[in-house]
């Protein structure tokens, strides 16, 4: 244990990466992570030019839903291999606890509450969206000479006012809303929701398959400049539809057409652990096809690949040992599986227990791509480039979250959390990542300090509109 921090070891055990040591199920699936070592930057070996960026998001994928993170019943060999070829983060977080606020935080590098559209949790009508005048990851990389594309779920506003192509992405192919039926493409507003650019595109095949084909095509092109591809799958978000479930899909679509849009898409009368497993494994296979195409294209070595989820898991997700889930700020609602691969600059078989969250990736990619953040819109994320490339310490800072009904702030191993009743809690995540041992009464001064820090950040954000 001399070369491994106590928190790293706890993360590995909790994530199932050393299940052989723990003696639990899932050891075979976790094998790619068994030889992990704590992260160390590789000594500089020069640069092969600015990298490409492939940022892949799963949708409602829980922290332990990959076999390399401990799922004993879900096999994800492609994502496990990706993790084994790079760095697996054990304390990585989404920018919020639901879909669109996290996407705001990733696209802008700022807390969702800094923008009006980010106050929706999540966006649910045509009046809400990401202001096209706000700088984004795509718009700033585009200014720096990158080609930019977004394939898949946008969920930052609908036409005519909002669109990826209005916010810096050269190309868009995907859906505008937060959910859709996988075959009919009937979406959150009850209408058809598959677009190429700003025009509808007709394709009634399984959505994950369609997105995978588009992504394979994009990474296979003969690009004449570095590129950013945001690949946002809807899998494994409800409705619980697999690629051979046309009959169940038709039932969901019929409910949507009959006007029961939310009830149909929520699919409360469908799904199972087995169906969820099928969807996650289909996502893994799809990511594998995209990565294989990237390898065939000859661009793999100098492409930064990040895989993460937009928030914690839902009904059928495997979250152990975390508490909570999507929509809340307990660890299960915001801690997400996150892996990073960059063969040209980073060694594989590594694990990092540094706390990081979505806005950090915005700052990191901008720095790696040679793009200057707009000083009029200061980032809330901190670039990890120094940590990843030069072995610098991650800057000491607080991670902050605000959602209706919950608040949370993490400083080092300590987490301040306020539940929906307004009660304050204090947890030491190094000792209790399940958040069951409330130390609020034992450490009142620390609780007050973290609560005051949360209040200072919240005081600079936009207020929620009256509900």
């Amino acid at each position: 244990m001399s070369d491994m921090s106590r928190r790293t070891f706890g993360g590995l055990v909790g994530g199932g990466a050393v299940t052989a040591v723990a003696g639990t199920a899932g050891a075979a699936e976790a094998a790619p992570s068994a030889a992990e070592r704590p992260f160390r930057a590789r000594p500089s070996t020069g640069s092969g030019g600015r990298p490409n960026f492939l940022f892949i998001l799963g949708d409602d994928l829980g922290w332990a839903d990959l076999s390399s993170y401990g799922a004993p019943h879900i096999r994800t060999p492609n994502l496990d291999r990706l993790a084994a070829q790079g760095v697996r983060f054990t304390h990585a977080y989404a920018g919020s606890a639901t879909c669109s606020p996290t996407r705001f935080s990733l696209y802008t590098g700022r807390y969702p509450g800094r923008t009006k559209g980010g106050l929706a949790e999540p966006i649910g009508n045509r009046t809400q969206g990401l202001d096209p005048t706000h700088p984004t990851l795509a718009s700033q990389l585009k200014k720096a000479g990158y080609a930019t594309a977004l394939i898949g779920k946008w969920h930052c506003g609908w036409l005519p006012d909002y669109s990826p192509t209005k916010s810096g992405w050269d190309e868009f192919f995907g859906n505008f809303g937060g959910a859709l039926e996988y075959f009919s493409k009937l979406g959150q507003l009850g209408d058809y929701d598959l677009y190429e650019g700003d025009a509808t595109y007709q394709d009634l095949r399984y959505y994950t398959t369609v997105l995978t084909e588009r992504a394979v095509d994009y990474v296979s092109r003969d690009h004449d400049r570095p590129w950013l591809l945001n690949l946002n799958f809807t899998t494994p978000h409800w409705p619980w539809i697999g690629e051979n479930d046309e009959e169940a899909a038709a039932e969901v679509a019929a409910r949507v057409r009959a006007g029961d849009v939310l009830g149909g898409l929520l699919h409360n009368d469908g799904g199972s652990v087995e169906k969820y497993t099928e969807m996650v494994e289909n996502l893994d296979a799809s990511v594998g096809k995209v990565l294989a195409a990237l390898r065939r294209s000859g661009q793999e070595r100098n492409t930064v690949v990040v895989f993460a989820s937009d928030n914690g898991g839902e009904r059928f997700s495997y979250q152990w040992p975390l508490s909570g889930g999507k929509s809340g700020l307990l660890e299960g609602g915001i801690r997400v599986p996150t892996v990073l691969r960059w063969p040209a600059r980073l060694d594989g078989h590594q694990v990092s227990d540094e706390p990081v969250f979505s806005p950090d990736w915005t700052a990191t990619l901008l720095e790696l791509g040679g793009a200057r953040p707009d000083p009029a819109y200061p980032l809330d994320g901190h670039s990890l480039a120094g940590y990843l490339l030069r072995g610098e310490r991650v800057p000491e800072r607080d991670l902050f979250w605000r959602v209706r009904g919950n608040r949370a702030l993490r400083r080092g191993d300590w987490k301040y959390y306020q539940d929906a009743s307004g009660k304050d809690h204090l947890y030491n995540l190094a000792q209790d990542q399940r958040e069951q041992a409330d130390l609020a009464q034992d450490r009142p001064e620390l609780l007050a300090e973290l609560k005051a820090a949360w209040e200072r950040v919240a005081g600079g954000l936009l207020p929620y509109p009256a509900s």
Side-chain angles (χ1 to χ4, degrees):
M1 290 281 289
S2 60
D3 293 328
M4 183 179 293
S5 75
R6 188 174 294 111
R7 192 194 321 146
T8 298
F9 183 76
L12 290 174
V13 173
V18 287
T19 46
V21 175
T24 60
E29 291 84 348
S33 302
E36 285 177 342
R37 60 179 175 83
F39 175 77
R40 290 182 183 175
R42 180 196 299 174
S44 178
T45 56
S47 173
R50 291 186 297 169
N52 306 310
F53 300 121
L54 172 57
F55 202 109
I56 308 173
L57 273 183
D59 199 354
D60 290 3
L61 185 74
W63 182 73
D65 276 334
L66 308 183
S67 45
S68 51
Y69 277 80
H73 59 295
I74 305 176
R75 291 174 172 80
T76 52
N78 295 290
L79 288 166
D80 298 343
R81 188 177 304 111
L82 182 70
Q85 293 169 343
V87 186
R88 188 176 67 91
F89 288 81
T90 62
H91 289 253
Y93 293 88
S96 190
T98 52
C99 303
S100 56
T102 289
R103 292 161 203 272
F104 270 73
S105 73
L106 176 62
Y107 299 154
T108 68
R110 311 176 78 209
Y111 299 130
R114 296 208 184 277
T115 59
K116 184 178 179 181
L119 299 176
E121 297 172 342
I123 283 177
N125 63 61
R126 295 187 186 274
T127 69
Q128 305 162 327
L130 176 56
D131 184 346
T133 66
H134 195 295
T136 64
L137 172 64
S139 68
Q140 293 173 101
L141 284 174
K142 184 175 180 178
K143 286 182 180 179
Y146 273 70
T148 58
L150 191 150
I151 296 174
K153 176 175 170 176
W154 164 241
H155 206 187
C156 287
W158 280 271
L159 292 171
D161 297 321
Y162 310 104
S163 170
T165 58
K166 298 178 185 294
S167 289
W169 282 269
D170 298 319
E171 302 177 34
F172 169 57
F173 180 86
N175 62 301
F176 282 98
L180 82 173
E181 192 281 297
Y182 283 76
F183 288 93
S184 69
K185 312 302 185 297
L186 294 176
Q188 185 179 353
L189 299 183
D191 52 6
Y192 187 82
D193 192 12
L194 176 57
Y195 285 75
E196 184 170 36
D198 293 347
T200 57
Y201 183 92
Q202 295 297 315
D203 193 328
L204 300 181
R205 295 177 298 152
Y206 190 63
Y207 192 38
T208 310
T209 300
V210 176
L211 295 181
T212 302
E213 290 180 359
R214 280 291 178 135
V216 166
D217 174 75
Y218 189 86
V219 303
S220 301
R221 293 182 196 170
D222 186 14
H223 294 272
D224 60 0
R225 52 187 168 138
W227 47 265
L228 162 73
L229 172 59
N230 289 98
L231 175 55
N232 300 343
F233 288 101
T234 56
T235 313
H237 194 290
W238 39 261
W240 317 109
I241 302 295
E243 60 181 338
N244 297 312
D245 293 338
E246 289 92 342
E247 184 176 341
E251 293 175 358
V252 170
R255 291 180 64 180
V256 173
R257 291 190 181 97
D260 185 15
V261 178
L262 184 59
L265 293 178
L266 276 171
H267 208 194
N268 282 325
D269 56 348
S272 65
V273 171
E274 292 74 20
K275 182 55 60 180
Y276 184 81
T277 297
E278 177 188 330
M279 294 178 74
V280 175
E281 292 182 350
N282 179 270
L283 170 65
D284 177 78
S286 298
V287 171
K289 292 176 182 177
V290 177
L291 297 178
L294 180 66
R295 184 171 58 253
R296 291 192 302 270
S297 75
Q299 301 172 93
E300 179 182 71
R301 180 167 175 76
N302 202 32
T303 297
V304 175
V305 179
V306 182
F307 176 88
S309 179
D310 61 346
N311 48 248
E314 240 227 25
R315 272 167 269 176
F316 302 110
S317 182
Y318 184 76
Q319 298 277 70
W320 183 260
L322 307 183
S323 295
K326 177 182 177 179
S327 300
L329 295 181
L330 289 170
E331 291 291 283
I334 50 178
R335 199 193 296 194
V336 293
T338 302
V339 298
L340 168 70
R341 186 188 74 182
W342 187 10
R345 300 299 302 274
L346 302 176
D347 292 330
H349 296 284
Q350 299 197 87
V351 62
S352 173
D353 63 347
E354 291 290 344
V356 300
F357 73 152
S358 300
D360 292 337
W361 297 117
T362 317
T364 303
L365 269 56
L366 289 176
E367 180 174 347
L368 295 178
R372 292 181 177 272
D374 190 324
Y377 300 85
L379 302 179
D380 292 310
H382 292 260
S383 174
L384 304 175
Y387 169 69
L388 294 169
L389 301 181
R390 299 180 293 276
E392 299 171 4
R393 294 180 63 88
V394 174
E396 292 186 8
R397 54 5 187 323
D398 298 333
L399 300 187
F400 169 95
W401 298 271
R402 181 189 74 166
V403 303
R404 287 182 182 269
N406 276 186
R407 56 168 69 175
L409 181 139
R410 176 167 177 170
R411 177 180 295 174
D413 291 330
W414 291 97
K415 180 177 175 182
Y416 160 61
Y417 168 72
Q418 186 182 91
D419 64 27
S421 72
K423 182 178 180 181
D424 294 327
H425 306 266
L426 181 66
Y427 300 109
N428 185 313
L429 296 176
Q431 301 172 355
D432 172 35
Q433 60 182 327
R434 190 157 173 76
E435 297 170 292
Q436 298 297 305
D438 186 358
L439 303 176
Q441 293 185 352
D442 298 347
R443 302 289 299 270
E445 293 182 357
L446 178 59
L447 174 65
E449 181 181 340
L450 298 184
K451 183 173 182 177
W454 188 95
E455 297 281 4
R456 285 194 295 273
V457 176
L461 304 183
L462 297 174
Y464 285 113
S467 56

